[in-house]
Amino acid sequence: MLDKKVAMESIREKRAAFENACRDAGLRLTHQRLEIFTELAVVADHPTAETIYERIRKKIPTISLDTVYRTLATFARHGLINKVETVESQARFEVKIMRHHHLTCRKCNKITDFQWESLDDVSLPVEISRWGRVENKNVIVYGICSECMGDDI
Amino acid sequence: MLDKKVAMESIREKRAAFENACRDAGLRLTHQRLEIFTELAVVADHPTAETIYERIRKKIPTISLDTVYRTLATFARHGLINKVETVESQARFEVKIMRHHHLTCRKCNKITDFQWESLDDVSLPVEISRWGRVENKNVIVYGICSECMGDDI
DNA sequence: TTACTTGCAAAGCCTTTGCAGTAAA
DNA sequence: TTTACTGCAAAGGCTTTGCAAGTAA
């Protein structure tokens, strides 16, 4: 209940931030762009372009898959969203939010976010300074999500 | 000097392990497979199929790109190598060695390995047990490698 | 009205696959 | 000799692009 209210609030904030970002970047605020962004901000899984397309067709039946691709590329270029690292052939996307890490299910490939503040308590090996300048560190945890665990028992 | 000797030794070991693995898996030990594996084991960067193909053509001029793809898929299926996570459209590969993490340069996309034993000193957030069963955790550090740092100064 | 966006269709890039010849065991 | 593997060529999946029509500002 409260969670839902908080989530709604956060979506409203994200959408407002999105509208400002569009203005700042000189991007026109189209129906399609708003739906694509909202889809990414609300569902918070890490959908592929194809998945976003299928979901949005329910709201905008005439939208085309290339618009989804083009829009995602535009958003990423302007730093509104991120392309996520995967071993799959299809790209996955997420809205840019507070630093976080990923849980990846080996079976269904679903990606879930998590926070891990105490990670910063461990310093990176010193040798890394020779490699170059570090900007960010991300953890990917692999395993089997609880939904998939039932499948083979 | 010593490093080189150690590296040679390690390559010899990897190759022997590879030959055994082929036998165990019932895979024929072909000229092409040996070169592809050796290329991955020696250079230890994280090449794309295309890069491996270009390098090996110097040794086996008649090799085809599809053989490289097919061989990499076969190796990965038998657990001899790993496909590495990236945001790029081309897949990258590495031989399966001791647990390690990746440094990724935002500019040249080169991937470098590093060890980080003390990572295990920090336990994952407890909430993760709700998500499912954790099997492995990998860190990807982003930044600019020293070779690329000079480019914009 | 003007310039940016979209939908359509076609092309592009990376990867996979069917087939017949080749080579490892 | 037998069966897996390779090279060739063609197809496949995901993504990008050119163009004319449509739409936000």
Side-chain angles (χ1 to χ4, degrees), chain B residues 28-30 65-66 69-70 89-91:
Chain B
R28 289 188 178 169
L29 197 65
T30 67
L65 180 57
D66 19 72
Y69 273 110
R70 218 168 343 210
S89 55
Q90 283 183 84

Side-chain angles (χ1 to χ4, degrees), chain B residues 29-144:
Chain B
L29 197 65
T30 67
H31 195 192
Q32 292 89 335
R33 285 180 174 169
L34 197 58
E35 287 302 337
I36 292 172
F37 183 84
T38 305
E39 183 56 42
L40 272 170
V42 171
V43 184
D45 56 0
H46 299 67
T48 62
E50 186 86 37
T51 305
I52 295 171
Y53 171 64
E54 290 303 338
R55 288 179 187 162
I56 289 181
R57 276 218 289 182
K58 287 164 194 156
K59 293 179 176 173
I60 312 175
T62 57
I63 198 170
S64 68
L65 180 57
D66 19 72
T67 296
V68 175
Y69 273 110
R70 218 168 343 210
T71 303
L72 291 170
T74 304
F75 287 174
R77 185 158 14 90
H78 288 277
L80 291 164
I81 65 171
N82 280 133
K83 212 170 178 177
V84 178
E85 314 238 334
T86 59
V87 292
E88 300 170 284
S89 55
Q90 283 183 84
R92 290 177 175 274
F93 300 86
E94 66 181 7
V95 296
K96 241 183 197 171
I97 54 165
M98 153 182 30
R99 189 159 83 91
H100 65 278
H101 306 284
H102 288 146
L103 298 161
T104 302
C105 176
R106 269 202 301 106
K107 264 204 184 141
C108 64
N109 287 323
K110 222 179 271 171
I111 298 172
T112 309
D113 292 342
F114 75 100
Q115 310 292 139
W116 194 10
E117 274 84 13
S118 53
L119 176 66
D120 294 323
D121 299 346
V122 210
S123 47
L124 283 167
V126 282
E127 312 89 73
I128 285 182
S129 56
R130 273 207 306 272
W131 171 78
R133 183 176 65 235
V134 167
E135 297 181 342
N136 195 11
K137 49 184 197 276
N138 280 289
V139 179
I140 303 179
V141 173
Y142 296 92
I144 307 287

Side-chain angles (χ1 to χ4, degrees), chain A residues 51-63:
Chain A
T51 305
I52 296 171
Y53 172 62
E54 290 303 338
R55 289 178 187 164
I56 289 183
R57 276 218 289 182
K58 287 164 195 156
K59 292 178 178 178
I60 313 178
T62 57
I63 198 169

Side-chain angles (χ1 to χ4, degrees), chain A residues 32 36 49-50 53 62-74:
Chain A
Q32 291 90 335
I36 291 172
E50 188 85 36
Y53 172 62
T62 57
I63 198 169
S64 69
L65 180 57
D66 17 72
T67 296
V68 174
Y69 273 109
R70 217 169 340 209
T71 302
L72 291 169
T74 304

Side-chain angles (χ1 to χ4, degrees), chain A residues 13-38 71-72 74-81:
Chain A
E13 275 168 27
K14 280 177 193 160
R15 186 184 284 220
F18 169 68
E19 291 179 8
N20 289 330
C22 280
R23 254 185 290 281
D24 292 352
L27 293 176
R28 290 191 179 167
L29 195 67
T30 66
H31 194 189
Q32 291 90 335
R33 285 181 175 168
L34 196 58
E35 286 302 336
I36 291 172
F37 183 84
T38 304
T71 302
L72 291 169
T74 304
F75 286 173
R77 185 155 18 88
H78 288 278
L80 291 165
I81 65 172

